[in-house]
Amino acid sequence: MSQHVRVAIIGAGFGGLGTAIRLKQEGIDDFVVLEKAGAVGGTWQINDYPGAQCDVPSLIYSFSFSPNPNWSRLYPLQSELKDYMHRCAVDHDVLPHVRFHTEVTDASWDDDAQLWRIATSAGDLTAQVLVGAIGPFSAPAVPDIPGLDTFTGTVFHSQAWDHEHDLHGERVGVIGTGASAVQFIPRVQPQAGHLTVFQRTPTWILPHPDRPVSKVTQTVYRRVPGAQKAARKAWEFTFEALVPGFIHEPKLQKPLELMARALLKKQVKDPELRARLTPSYAVGCKRPTFSNAYYPALTADNATVVSDGIVEITERGIVTADGTEHELDTIILGTGFRMTDHPGFDLVHGRGGVSIGDRWREGEMAAYLGTTLHDFPNLFLILGPNSGVYTSAVITIEDQVHYIVEALREMERADLRSLEVTAEAQQEFLEWADKGLSKSVFLTGGCHSYYLSPTGRNFTHYPGFSAGFRARTSTVDLDHYVARRVAKEGVPA
């Protein structure tokens, strides 16, 4: 007989751990965290390529209830984030609830029994409530390039970095110039005999404000916790100041563009290369990236930037549209992640057996407040569609976790067996988000990015300030839900 729990959480990244810790604080111990890896950390456990670093300051890319006064840098490194999350799990006693090396293979809603039936690699279980915290940067996107499987050298994706492979003296090709590639290219270039970067679309690069955190500052944060709290608020306000430019008037982004152009002019002297590295879209349309080392790596004597499209991959290397075959020893895929077609979406089945993936392929990627889905009772998503604010994903996560706890309180107070958002509430939120983002730089900036679904709508961002998202997730309005109560004999009414 399979185990039954009140709450099952998929994923032990920031979303899963944040939910687990908050449940503990609420006095709810009847939950499990299902994690396919052997450690907590999510994105920051999986992505350990050289140079991996968060592009959000550590003070706001951390839990508000668990400040860390000992961050070594203003922008946290991958290893520090992983260690921080492990400490949070230990300090809040949630590790005993985590089932490591447990991959969810199916989660299906049983409407008759009013519960979730979950199949995993380590056995089956049931749960009243399911929390999906799989994370947007966990499934690598491998490009569909003819001949990729015929290459006789070494190939790996940045998300699955081959740390045993020695790049010294090799002819290394990098496909992609997104955020991950911008971070690892400066680490690869000094090792490679020759580095060839295959660029489809250039990226706006801003000067990186990262710096070490002084011992004095760390001491102040330890002895005066209010100082760190105040600094956190200051960073929140700094990032929130960008919202009008992102959402309402992209022209306000012009100072960022001038800053990026100044860095490009300063670090890339060759006018022809500088032209190829200059984006044709507005700053912010794609994810802007910070780096002081990217351009110097591309202008090094052993580096070449190729802008011609890739036609095929052969046994020996990459053939581009100009007919050149670039002979290589290793190909590194810096090609991002499966944002709109994450395989996890196909594993969660709601009423009638429809999966999240099916639903979103049939229509739009939508969820009420980025958290609940019609036809998926008692399912709560972390970082679902249109929940992304402009400060930190961790801030969004804390607001969504608060909403989940409020929903559990309502279910207990009113003796509810299930909650399901109405189709009308979900559609109204989608239309409201689309209207709010209609003039945003993401839709008017002249690019196509992973922020957009296959239909072209921005499914990523919340159309306003984080305070607005916090207000909307502060309470659960049952008028937006269909609630099923438990009859006296214990059968759903």
Side-chain angles (χ1 to χ4, degrees):
M1 186 175 181
S2 61
Q3 179 190 7
H4 179 77
V5 295
R6 186 176 180 188
V7 182
I9 303 164
I10 304 175
F14 265 111
L17 287 182
T19 305
I21 292 170
R22 190 67 185 87
L23 292 178
K24 271 281 191 179
Q25 293 172 337
E26 191 68 14
I28 300 173
D29 289 311
D30 188 14
F31 69 89
V32 295
V33 181
L34 307 172
E35 172 55 55
K36 66 181 180 180
V40 302
T43 292
W44 301 106
Q45 190 277 136
I46 298 172
N47 291 280
D48 63 350
Y49 56 82
Q53 183 177 23
C54 185
D55 57 6
V56 176
S58 53
L59 289 181
I60 56 175
Y61 200 83
S62 51
F63 292 125
S64 62
F65 53 79
S66 192
N68 174 24
N70 300 314
W71 293 114
S72 70
R73 306 197 66 81
L74 181 61
Y75 286 73
L77 304 172
Q78 175 267 334
S79 58
E80 279 194 285
L81 281 167
K82 182 181 175 182
D83 291 345
Y84 167 78
M85 295 169 75
H86 178 77
R87 287 197 303 274
C88 287
V90 172
D91 292 345
H92 295 276
D93 194 30
V94 299
L95 276 184
H97 295 267
V98 183
R99 297 184 182 179
F100 293 111
H101 304 293
T102 301
E103 183 172 3
V104 173
T105 56
D106 183 82
S108 296
W109 174 252
D110 185 330
D111 209 36
D112 293 330
Q114 291 282 283
L115 52 75
W116 284 95
R117 298 193 182 278
I118 305 166
T120 81
S121 59
D124 299 344
L125 69 152
T126 58
Q128 182 187 18
V129 169
L130 180 66
V131 178
I134 59 176
F137 302 120
S138 57
V142 177
D144 184 17
I145 301 174
L148 179 59
D149 58 347
T150 68
F151 181 62
T152 56
T154 301
V155 180
F156 56 87
H157 192 281
S158 63
Q159 186 260 7
W161 196 272
D162 187 348
H163 292 279
E164 300 300 317
H165 183 68
D166 187 2
L167 296 173
H168 282 89
E170 287 201 338
R171 298 167 298 178
V172 180
V174 173
I175 300 177
T177 54
S180 298
V182 168
Q183 291 184 340
F184 71 70
I185 281 174
R187 300 297 187 93
V188 170
Q189 176 266 316
Q191 300 178 48
H194 191 85
L195 173 68
T196 306
V197 176
F198 296 87
Q199 170 188 272
R200 183 175 62 177
T201 307
T203 301
W204 283 114
I205 306 294
L206 293 164
H208 207 313
D210 183 40
R211 62 180 183 275
V213 177
S214 70
K215 295 296 183 182
V216 172
T217 300
Q218 292 175 347
T219 301
V220 170
Y221 286 162
R222 280 195 298 271
R223 296 181 178 178
V224 188
Q228 187 170 11
K229 186 176 181 180
R232 178 185 173 97
K233 281 295 180 185
W235 275 111
E236 286 186 35
F237 290 138
T238 298
F239 276 74
E240 289 278 74
L242 299 174
V243 171
F246 279 124
I247 301 301
H248 303 296
E249 184 49 74
K251 290 181 181 179
L252 295 174
Q253 303 282 61
K254 193 64 176 179
L256 293 179
E257 180 182 330
L258 294 176
M259 193 182 303
R261 288 183 181 277
L263 179 68
L264 179 60
K265 185 176 182 180
K266 177 182 178 181
Q267 294 189 330
V268 181
K269 301 303 183 182
D270 178 11
E272 190 275 332
L273 178 59
R274 188 163 64 238
R276 286 193 285 126
L277 294 174
T278 303
S280 60
Y281 53 86
V283 172
C285 184
K286 286 179 180 285
R287 177 179 175 177
T289 306
F290 301 93
S291 180
N292 300 323
Y294 179 65
Y295 289 144
L298 298 186
T299 57
D301 291 341
N302 68 331
T304 303
V305 177
V306 176
S307 300
D308 296 294
I310 296 174
V311 175
E312 65 173 330
I313 295 177
T314 67
E315 293 182 357
R316 299 185 301 175
I318 294 176
V319 178
T320 48
D322 63 352
T324 301
E325 181 176 24
H326 305 266
E327 295 189 2
L328 302 167
D329 301 304
T330 295
I331 297 174
I332 303 175
L333 305 176
T335 47
F337 301 87
R338 296 173 62 178
M339 303 287 286
T340 61
D341 64 340
H342 193 293
F345 299 156
D346 290 318
L347 301 179
V348 181
H349 299 84
R351 183 181 293 105
V354 64
S355 72
I356 296 176
D358 290 336
R359 176 57 49 83
W360 286 347
R361 281 188 290 268
E362 292 168 0
E364 295 290 356
M365 297 185 69
Y368 178 64
L369 296 177
T371 310
T372 54
L373 272 170
H374 180 63
D375 281 336
F376 292 80
N378 289 5
L379 171 68
F380 297 89
L381 301 177
I382 300 293
L383 298 180
N386 295 113
S387 65
V389 297
Y390 306 87
T391 47
S392 162
V394 182
I395 290 175
T396 296
I397 288 168
E398 288 197 35
D399 292 338
Q400 288 184 296
V401 170
H402 174 83
Y403 190 78
I404 293 169
V405 169
E406 287 297 308
L408 290 173
R409 285 175 177 166
E410 288 289 346
M411 293 175 72
E412 186 171 12
R413 178 190 61 79
D415 202 16
L416 303 179
R417 194 65 181 271
S418 66
L419 280 177
E420 177 190 353
V421 70
T422 65
E424 293 76 17
Q426 181 173 302
Q427 183 63 25
E428 286 175 5
F429 177 73
L430 181 147
E431 292 175 359
W432 175 82
D434 283 352
K435 182 178 180 180
L437 292 167
S438 62
K439 296 180 180 179
S440 69
V441 68
F442 315 116
L443 296 176
T444 64
C447 74
H448 183 83
S449 71
Y450 70 71
Y451 297 148
L452 308 183
S453 73
T455 63
R457 76 172 297 267
N458 184 329
F459 72 96
T460 309
H461 293 97
Y462 181 78
F465 295 99
S466 60
F469 186 76
R470 183 172 299 115
R472 295 195 65 166
T473 54
S474 62
T475 58
V476 176
D477 187 346
L478 291 183
D479 289 340
H480 295 150
Y481 287 86
V482 174
R484 293 190 68 177
R485 289 174 170 80
V486 179
K488 291 182 179 180
E489 64 271 22
V491 178

